Amino acid sequence: MIEAFIHEWGSLLLRWAHIITGIAWVGASFYFMHMDAAIRGTPDLPSEKGGEVWEVHGGGFYQVRKYLIAPDFLPQHLIWHKWQAYTTWITGFFLLVWIYYLGADLYLIDPDVLVISPWVAAGFGIVGLAAGWLVYDQLCKSDLSKNDLYLSVACFVLVVVAAFGFQSVFSGRGALIHAGAFMATIMTANVFFIIIPNQRVVVADLKAGRNPDPALGKQAKQRSAHNNYLTLPVLFLMLVGHYPLTFSTPYAFVIVALVLIGGAVIRVFFNMRNAGQGDQWWTWGVALLCLAGAVAISLTSTPLGRKAIAITQKIDGGVPMKVSIAPDMITDIVAGRCSMCHARQPSYRGIVIAPKGIVLDTAADVARHARSIYVNSVLSTAMPPNNVSGMTLSERRQIASWIEGRTR
């Protein structure tokens, strides 16, 4: 009993810490990208040597200067923006372990995809994250780095292939969270292995009166730009675990691809606007098309999508006839397949309170939560998690017929 409470509170506190640190990292990233784009040369600091930007916030005025050469002096204490990235990844990794690796039978392992042990699943996930960084880093150090477009396409393919690989091993929910963690690992490793070390060399050169190697700044800037364009897709994939229609499709990796494109072009809009290069409104059209494509995939290709479920029967001549399903039959199905977790006194190990407070003990409970049941067990197969209770296709069709009948 106490272990279940510890797990629940641990999940909450880790998620809270992850969100707080993530806000700090994303906020700092967006701010510096905006500031870099807004920097303008001045008479005493021309653009080839740096520039400045004036800002107003909270009733005060701020003059921010950027130096590309050694300034007149450097303070002993510089603010290094790195721990936002590190703590975001650390809390995210522990959250991944806490929910997905310790609860692999519910959230990560889907026997219909691949039968593996929790240890093997966790090992595959961790190795996948590490391998992703290594491959990405080699791409960035190859000749592709000389052309930002070619490198971006190669990195895009890498992420989509990784998402497909995760989907071939894990449940849909587990696959998409790992696709997001895959990109987040690349982003954090960029900060830890490239951006911060390069900045330290530059600072040392400036303090010694030497001109920094431009290649160091160029490399760090390229990695920082990658982080900027990956931010929105990563945030999207951190949320999809709560929305089963996004991951209950054999084409979830295509949704990842569409979100990558959509998120990147939104950042293109803001980056170009901040740089004074005009408003590229076409980017919003592309983003909306990508999101519309993702929605269409989730609606038409889920294993038990609307088109695949027999919610009506046909008599001679093709005239549809409403199917009559007794409420008691539906209550029995839900009680048999769902109430081990969604009960006033759950019986499934490790669960002491019904998830999200949804109790399905009685016919009234089932009727009250009919929409949620429909989304999670009919339009998607998110519930029961990884079908641990063995809900059949026939039972899902009966639920669909009953709920569709209620809405007519």
Side-chain angles (χ1 to χ4, degrees):
M1 180 72 72
I2 190 64
E3 291 180 359
F5 279 101
I6 291 174
H7 187 273
E8 191 77 2
W9 273 99
S11 176
L12 170 61
L13 295 177
L14 280 172
R15 196 183 302 274
W16 189 29
H18 186 52
I19 290 172
I20 291 171
T21 55
I23 289 172
W25 186 15
V26 172
S29 172
F30 282 5
Y31 174 73
F32 278 101
M33 288 295 293
H34 165 79
M35 189 166 58
D36 273 345
I39 288 286
R40 299 292 182 270
T42 64
D44 63 323
L45 193 61
S47 56
E48 67 272 12
K49 296 183 179 180
E52 69 177 23
V53 60
W54 282 78
E55 301 178 284
V56 58
H57 179 75
F61 295 92
Y62 298 80
Q63 181 186 20
V64 181
R65 311 199 94 194
K66 179 179 181 178
Y67 294 88
L68 298 176
I69 59 172
D72 295 334
F73 75 96
L74 277 175
Q76 291 299 315
H77 301 288
L78 290 173
I79 298 175
W80 292 84
H81 291 270
K82 57 181 181 179
W83 283 107
Q84 301 100 317
Y86 301 162
T87 52
T88 298
W89 189 89
I90 291 170
T91 55
F93 179 74
F94 278 111
L95 191 60
L96 184 69
V97 172
W98 196 264
I99 295 177
Y100 287 88
Y101 295 164
L102 296 182
D105 57 335
L106 281 179
Y107 302 117
L108 190 59
I109 300 171
D110 186 347
D112 290 336
V113 177
L114 188 65
V115 179
I116 51 178
S117 71
W119 284 106
V120 171
F124 185 91
I126 293 171
V127 170
L129 299 184
W133 157 251
L134 294 174
V135 174
Y136 163 82
D137 188 50
Q138 290 304 308
L139 287 175
C140 291
K141 292 177 179 177
S142 70
D143 289 341
L144 288 172
S145 64
K146 300 175 183 178
N147 187 300
D148 286 335
L149 177 59
Y150 292 164
L151 179 59
S152 297
V153 171
C155 293
F156 169 81
V157 172
L158 172 64
V159 173
V160 176
V161 169
F164 179 79
F166 287 130
Q167 192 175 353
S168 301
V169 177
F170 298 144
S171 66
R173 181 177 181 178
L176 289 195
I177 200 69
H178 275 82
F182 183 91
M183 288 185 278
T185 299
I186 288 174
M187 294 169 66
T188 307
N190 274 339
V191 176
F192 185 80
F193 291 111
I194 302 297
I195 297 173
I196 293 299
N198 285 16
Q199 286 180 343
R200 290 191 182 280
V201 174
V202 169
V203 169
D205 286 341
L206 291 175
K207 287 183 175 181
R210 299 186 298 265
N211 288 326
D213 182 358
L216 294 174
K218 182 179 180 181
Q219 184 188 45
K221 187 66 178 176
Q222 187 179 64
R223 301 296 182 100
S224 181
H226 289 175
N227 284 5
N228 181 254
Y229 289 116
L230 287 174
T231 299
L232 295 184
V234 168
L235 291 176
F236 180 91
L237 293 175
M238 294 298 104
L239 297 174
V240 295
H242 302 284
Y243 300 93
L245 287 180
T246 59
F247 58 77
S248 296
T249 165
Y251 303 107
F253 69 97
V254 179
I255 291 179
V256 172
L258 292 171
V259 170
L260 269 172
I261 297 170
V265 296
I266 290 173
R267 290 308 307 159
V268 167
F269 174 86
F270 286 105
N271 291 341
M272 296 188 73
R273 164 180 269 197
N274 295 335
Q277 298 176 8
D279 293 331
Q280 306 298 316
W281 294 109
W282 61 268
T283 57
W284 289 98
V286 173
L288 289 174
L289 284 175
C290 289
L291 293 178
V295 172
I297 289 173
S298 73
L299 289 177
T300 60
S301 65
T302 51
L304 290 170
R306 290 180 182 272
K307 294 182 179 180
I309 296 177
I311 59 173
T312 60
Q313 294 177 338
K314 292 185 177 181
I315 59 175
D316 292 341
V319 179
M321 180 178 66
K322 186 183 298 185
V323 178
S324 177
I325 301 293
D328 289 345
M329 182 184 299
I330 300 303
T331 303
D332 289 343
I333 292 173
V334 173
R337 304 302 186 187
C338 309
S339 63
M340 71 281 194
C341 296
H342 292 283
R344 286 169 176 80
Q345 293 183 336
S347 59
Y348 197 87
R349 70 182 188 281
I351 295 180
V352 294
I353 299 176
K356 297 185 178 180
I358 296 177
V359 175
L360 302 174
D361 282 339
T362 67
D365 294 330
V366 172
R368 185 180 305 112
H369 298 291
R371 179 181 176 278
S372 181
I373 294 171
Y374 187 54
V375 170
N376 286 278
S377 66
V378 177
L379 292 185
S380 73
T381 55
M383 293 293 162
N386 297 335
N387 205 20
V388 293
S389 61
M391 181 178 284
T392 66
L393 177 62
S394 175
E395 290 170 337
R396 295 181 192 274
R397 284 175 171 163
Q398 291 178 66
I399 293 173
S401 299
W402 172 69
I403 294 177
E404 289 286 347
R406 283 168 49 88
T407 59
R408 289 191 179 97

